[in-house]
Structure formats: C-alpha cells, structure tokens
Amino acid sequence: MTMDDNKLTIDKITADLTHHIRINKGFLLWMGFLTVSLLICLYAYSLQLRNGLGVAGIRDFVTWGMYLSNFVFFVAASLIGMLISAVLGLIGMKWLTPITRIAETIAVAFAAVAGLVIVSDMGRPERLAYVFIYGRPQSPILWDVTVITTYFVLSLLLLFLPMIADMAIIHRKVASLPSWLKPIYKTLSLNFTDQPEQNKIISRSIRILLILLIPAALSIHTVTSWLFAVTSRAGWDSTVFGPYFVSGAFVAGSAAVIIAMYFFRKNYKLQDYLTDLHFNNMGKVLATVSLVYLYFNINEFLVPGYKLKRADAVHLQELFAGKDALMFWLVQIGGLILPILFLLFRRFRKPGPVLLISIAVLIGAWFKRYLIVIPTQEHPFLPIQHVPANFMHYSPTLIETLISVAPFILVLIIITLISKFFPVIPLHETAVEKGIDHIKFD
Amino acid sequence: MRFKNLLIIIFICSVGTRVAAQTWIVPDDQKAVVAPVKFTPDMQKQGEQLYSKNCQSCHGNMGKDNWAKLTPPPGDLAKDKAQKQTDGEIFYRITTGKIPMPEFRNILSEDERWSLIAFMRSFNPKYVQPNPVAKAAFTGRIVTLAMQYSDPMKKVLVTATEQLKDGQKGLASGVEVMLFVKRYFGKMQVGDIKTTNAKGEAAFEFPADLPGNKEGYVELTATVNDPKSVMMTTPANANLAIGVPTDKPSLTATRAWWSTRANAPVWILLTYTLSVLIVWGFIGYIVMSILRIKKLSKGDA
C-alpha cells in the first residue's frame, strides 16, 4: 500500500463515518418531536408527583405495575453491551467491530434510564437517598441499585475509551465539523497522538473493563430477577430465574441492536460498513439467544405445570387459558417461537426481514416482562377480603402509560445524541483493521 | 382431574361472593325489639365516644357522607337508609355484623349497643322513641371461675362458683370448663374439656415441656364451655410459674438474613463491601490511566 492509497483510504473512512456529524433539518425535527413528547410525559409525571401514586393503576394487590415491568425491560435491554463487547469480543469475533459502539450506546442509554424508571415507581422520590442511608445490605434492592450504578459507569467508560483515538482523528481531519464541537472533541481526545504508551493504556483499560463487565452485567440482571425470585409467590418462586432473566435480556438486547443497526445504516449511509454479513450474523446471534431463552421458558412453565401446586395452578391457568392467555401466547409464539423459526433461514436474516423480526421480538420482550411482573400479584396466597374490584385487578391508567413512555423517549434522545455527535462505527479501529497502520497525528 | 377441581373451586368462589353480596335480612321478631330504657343525653354521649372508637373508621363522620370505600359501601348512619329502620333492626345489625362489618356481640355490651343507637337517633329530628320494654330478668346459671396451681396434685385447679336463687354463693358442679395458655399467636387449649365435680372443681394436667417466659411464667385463661349462651359466665385468668423458663432472643436480635441492618450477617457485609471496593478500585484505576493519556502526549507535541 502506497502512502497515497493510505491517505486516501483513511480520508474516505473518516468522511464516511463522520459525514453525519452536523446539525441538519431532519435532526432538529426529530429532536423537536422527542422533546415535545417528553414534555407531555413529564406533565403526566408532575400530576403523579402532585396527587400521588394513586393516579396510576397500582393498588393493594398489584403494587408493582407497569413501572416495574418497564424497569425490568430497561435493565434487560442494557445487558447487550456485555454480550456483544465482552463475551463475543473477548472470544475474538472480528466482524463485531462496527457493532460494538452501537451495543455500548444502547447499554449506556438503557442503564442510565433504568434508574429513573425505578424513581417513577416511588411515591416520595425525594427520599431516594434513604435507599442508601437506611438500606440493608441483606436486601437485593440495595444490591440492585449498586450493580446498576456500577454497570452504567463501566459501560460509559467502555463507550468512551475507544472513542479517544476517533476524536483525535476527527478534530484534525474533519473540516466540516461544527465549530463549537471542535474544542469539545479536542478536550475529549486527551491529546491522543498514537503513542505506543497511550495505546497500551487504552487497550489494557478496555481489557479490564471487558472482564469486569461480565460479572457486573450478570449481576444486574440476576439481582433484578432475585427481586422476584426471593419472594415465595406462584410464578416467581423459581430457582432458574437468574439465567431465565439473563437469557431473556440477551434476546431483547440483540433485537434492539439490530433495529439500531438498520436505522443507522440507512440514515447515516453506512451500507459499506454495516453489511448484509453483519445482519446475517446478528440474526444468528438473535436466534441462538432466543433458543436458550426458549429452553428456560420450557423449564419455567413445564416444571410447575407438571406438579400443579394449587397456587401455581391458578397462576398458570390464567396465563394459559384465562385472562392473560391472549397476551401470553402472542408473546411466546409471536415474540419467540416464530422469530426462531424464521431466523433459521438465511433469507430472513437479510436487513429488511431481520428488522421486522427484531421489532416483533422487542415488543414481545416488553410484554413478556409485563406477564412476569403483574399476573402473579393478582393471585396472592392470602387475598385481601372485601376490597373494591379495582384493587384486585390491575389495569394501567393513561397517566401511568405516559410516565412509562417517558423512559423510551429519554433512551431515544440519548442514543440520538451519542450517535449524532460521535461516529457510530469505531473509526480508529476500523482503519487499523483495514490495514492502515499509521495515522498521522500532527 | 386437577383442571376440573380448579373449575369447581372457581365456581364455589364466584357463588360465594354472590351469596356475600346478598341483602342483609333481619328476622321479623328482631325488628320488633325495642330499647329497655328511654334514651338519655348521657347515653348519647357514651354512644358518641363508642362511635368514634368502633364505627367511624368505616362509617365516617355522622352526616358527612365520608365513609370508607368498601364493598358493600357502609353508608352514612345519619342518612335515611339507616334511619328508616327500626331500633330493633339496627340493634340486630350491630349485634350480628355482616362481612366486612364486624359482629359486635362480644365487643360491646347490650347497653353500649343501645347507647350507639341513642347517638345515631340524635341526628334524626323526626325520630320518636317507641315505649321501652324492660328486659325479662335472667334465669340461667351465673357462674364465676377461679384458678390456682395445686402443688401436691401437680395440676391446675379451676373452681366454679355460682350465684344461687337465694342470693347466696355455692359451688357449681356439672359446668364444662376449658383451659387455654397464651402463645405467640392466640391461645392453645390445654387438655380436653373437663366437667366440674361436686366440689365445683376441675383439674388440668399441665404439660411439663411447655415454655414460659424467662422466669417460667405462663398466662392461663379458664372459660366455661357454653356454646348456646344459656349461662352468664366470668372467666378466670392467672399468671403461673409452671412453664419451662425460656430466654429466646427475639428474631432480630441475632445476625441473620432477615435481621436489621445492624445485624446483617458478617459474610454478606464482607462480600458486598469487598465486591464494591474491588470493582470500584479498578474503575478508579482506569480513570487515573485515562488522565495519564493526556500527560503522555506532552513530550510528543
């Protein structure tokens, strides 16, 4: 490769991966839409702050409603950063490079917002600090708060470290960079000049983070599952809840990554970097984790269904043939079994079809959390007697729904901002992988 | 088979709730019952106190329509629906209750129940009290129990005395007596029902292995078995040092999962603290390294 080729290629890669970093009309419209939607949801939240949790549908039977199932969903989706970067990355799968940052962005966004989702379920949010001041180290709730904070910081660092070199390249090479962004990039690039020492620090730090990320991620979702599994109630009283939740999280996260890949590829014109191969491979990943999840589902329902202890019987009856049956079978068949069957065929792992499948999987994943959290509470061992009917059956209110939509908007805002102002695909790493071994930093 | 059982259970439950939702019928002879005395301002005052203690939590303030949201709704007792009923009907309802309203038969005496009605009626200007009918004198047995521990017999001895027709006191034979000992939740019966002998005595063997408090005291209650309520009886209570002295620490006094924060198990404290320290130690180390990246380039520039 001659010097000229070299220069051409790095310039082209830089241009390809950064041309979207500018403020255009589409971006402003999209952000405006998100902001207005968020304001509407915040208004709903202000009503809850003023009038109390009674504005939501949660009552004496179902005290954990949509807010809590939303929380489980957000924690689940954030786990994908660990699967893509840490597990598959440490194994050494090279094709992942263009996807890692997307996965980390999703992890950071969902983990950051998961904490807020919990706050929406608090009647007195100003007492949040009491969780730490009066928390008992024996309680999974304290562990949950701890591991989610930790996982968020790890993910943020893991998002940032590979970006240092990128920002060093961009603030030097990209002439079209908005002027106000330049100093920010320069600061964040930490004067990176491709020194061997600097590279060593970065790669060593990334390695440490990747290793820490695995136990941290396993903990956050295992602990979240324990919030339920340590309670002796039909549908929660299970020993496989940890792996059941973790595998389910990978399903939701893989689907989220595929959807994000599709939109970035289209909107930021990244067809040369996010190729059919990546969609094909991510389709395989999604199929694999879905199969694992299916396996845990079978365990979760077959074992109690075989014994049919009385409380379990009532619970399963409602899920299989009762009030929740329609949602249950839509989720299990439409969100799990059919996607697996389709994904077995190569033609359904092309970008378009795999996008549709992922959307179905992600919607199914949300309702799956709903089915895990709510029906159990409608069949307590000792039902409260002679209470109004709306205490016994849960149906979310409009205000509650709006408050539950807010976190999604926040996630979209975070993902939009990160992806809009930073390269979606790691620039330096891509260049190095394409054989451009020396990039001039001067 | 199981599924069928389930259906049966569901069927019974749904029928059960319907039965519970049925109207509350007062027998005709009870409707006609009237108070034994003329209502007085003193009775109304006593009724007001009883009302705020026993009824207000559900029925709300009189005339304010702010009753608790229960099914069926308790309603405001100053309003027509309650006030249109006869004194006998209201008396019957307070006496018997109907889920979720408690039965006050054994909680409030008859006099107290009438005071409540006197209070309720004070909110109804149209109310005219029917002529009182004094209650017929009680003709059943009036039995009082006493209890002690007999060392020579090693038994709990319950003695029953009764008021005789001539006003004298006599030993009551042929009375069925039950003995209970207080435990964590509720009471446990000791032995079977015993009938008092000619001396009015019933002796209960006390198990040798029942735990008492630190000094071995147990709380005992003896009552008369009178399912048809044909007698007027007074139970006996005693605090006797006949249990095994036991000094069990409370469940939160030792280190355990379920205990307070101060009593968290050591291994949890260690695991939690160490994990947090190690992981955040690495995070701190990485942050320091990142800051070093900046310094390293200075020589180069």
Side-chain angles (χ1 to χ4, degrees), chain A residues 305-316:
Chain A
Y306 198 97
K307 293 178 285 194
L308 224 57
K309 291 187 273 187
R310 190 189 293 165
D312 288 342
V314 175
H315 176 64
L316 293 179

Side-chain angles (χ1 to χ4, degrees), chain A residues 132-138 142-143 146 150 153-154 157 160-161 164 190-191 193 195 197-198 201-202 204-205 208-209 212 307-308 313-314 317 386-388, chain B residues 2-3 6 9 20 69-71 99-100 256-261 263-265 268-269 272 276 279-280 282-283 285-287 289-290 292-294 296-297 300:
Chain A
F132 299 96
I133 302 174
Y134 302 110
R136 293 161 63 244
Q138 300 101 306
L142 186 72
W143 311 340
T146 314
T150 308
V153 172
L154 289 175
L157 286 171
F160 174 66
L161 275 166
I164 295 175
L190 301 174
N191 296 344
T193 44
Q195 306 287 312
E197 270 298 298
Q198 290 177 323
I201 290 177
I202 290 180
R204 191 181 51 208
S205 301
I208 297 176
L209 283 174
L212 287 179
K307 293 178 285 194
L308 224 57
V314 175
Q317 164 76 16
H386 310 291
V387 287
Chain B
R2 291 248 162 86
F3 183 67
L6 194 72
I9 292 172
K69 293 192 173 38
L70 301 171
T71 26
I99 288 171
W257 271 123
W258 54 82
S259 202
T260 54
R261 176 164 70 167
N263 276 328
I268 291 180
L269 288 175
Y272 178 84
V276 170
V279 174
W280 282 86
F282 275 113
I283 291 178
Y285 168 76
I286 289 171
V287 171
S289 317
I290 291 176
R292 258 186 61 222
I293 295 178
K294 197 160 184 172
L296 280 171
S297 73
D300 184 68

Side-chain angles (χ1 to χ4, degrees), chain A residues 57-105:
Chain A
I58 41 183
R59 290 289 179 271
D60 292 32
F61 274 58
V62 179
T63 51
W64 283 0
M66 204 144 99
Y67 297 148
L68 251 290
S69 56
N70 219 17
F71 167 71
V72 178
F73 177 82
F74 275 71
V75 176
S78 77
L79 232 61
I80 192 61
M82 165 265 203
L83 177 70
I84 299 284
S85 309
V87 178
L88 300 181
L90 283 175
I91 292 172
M93 294 202 167
K94 281 280 173 271
W95 61 270
L96 279 171
T97 308
I99 301 176
T100 47
R101 187 161 297 159
I102 297 177
E104 278 315 318
T105 308

Side-chain angles (χ1 to χ4, degrees), chain A residues 271-283:
Chain A
Q271 282 84 349
D272 291 346
Y273 300 86
L274 293 168
T275 62
D276 283 10
L277 169 95
H278 296 105
F279 284 88
N280 186 40
N281 284 354
M282 277 308 292

